[in-house]
Amino acid sequence: MFTEKQIEDKTVELLAIVYNSINWSKMHTSKNPHDIFNHRVRAASRRATLFEAISKLANYFGLQSLPTEAIQLTQELRPYERVVLNKMYMEHIPMSMMAIMRAKERRKNKGQITIFETLKEEVLKDE
């Protein structure tokens, strides 16, 4: 069972992975990419399930697939999907901006051990 903070952290991590999967150089728009992302997060959150929402979010940006890490996080969050989808809908701007900040951190630390990997290692040790 996850705490509310863990659910939020995992949701932010999931959105960060999606954000980093987007080829922003192919997005030809005069709008701010952050505005586009948070608007589409909110729109996708109205789907019936978390898997549908993530699929729709990926489709909005022309993604045909996502990294396996995104699918693993989605599976972990599935028991809490109503909470996650509601949070994505009601708090789409802060959730999206935290995800964008996390995405930038992930890019900066590429090749280094991340917080997410450290958490996974701790879980494996506990098992």
Side-chain angles (χ1 to χ4, degrees):
M1 183 166 222
F2 294 135
T3 65
E4 186 175 340
K5 175 72 171 124
Q6 289 172 316
I7 292 168
E8 183 174 296
D9 289 346
K10 287 178 181 291
T11 303
V12 166
E13 195 72 26
L14 173 60
L15 293 174
I17 293 166
V18 173
Y19 186 87
N20 275 346
S21 298
I22 299 165
N23 186 346
W24 289 102
S25 65
K26 287 187 177 180
M27 297 288 164
H28 300 289
T29 180
S30 61
K31 305 257 190 262
N32 182 326
H34 298 171
D35 292 344
I36 294 169
F37 186 71
N38 77 49
H39 173 76
R40 291 185 179 170
V41 165
R42 185 171 194 243
S45 72
R46 292 295 79 197
R47 297 296 172 171
T49 69
L50 186 55
F51 274 111
E52 285 180 35
I54 295 304
S55 294
K56 187 63 180 174
L57 186 59
N59 289 151
Y60 280 141
F61 293 103
L63 301 174
Q64 300 300 309
S65 64
L66 290 170
T68 57
E69 187 179 6
I71 304 310
Q72 291 168 343
L73 279 168
T74 306
Q75 288 174 319
E76 289 178 28
L77 289 168
R78 202 164 192 188
Y80 311 96
E81 70 185 355
R82 290 282 27 111
V83 172
V84 172
L85 291 172
N86 284 334
K87 187 171 271 296
M88 285 170 53
Y89 181 76
M90 299 296 289
E91 301 175 15
H92 66 284
I93 293 174
M95 294 295 291
S96 296
M97 290 310 298
M98 286 188 292
I100 291 166
M101 292 184 307
R102 178 67 185 124
K104 289 178 180 180
E105 181 183 323
R106 287 175 64 92
R107 276 192 302 241
K108 186 178 105 183
N109 295 332
K110 196 170 187 173
Q112 298 174 7
I113 293 181
T114 64
I115 294 168
F116 180 74
E117 290 166 340
T118 304
L119 289 173
K120 279 185 7 185
E121 289 172 6
E122 288 175 9
V123 168
L124 291 174
K125 288 177 189 175
D126 291 341
E127 291 179 351

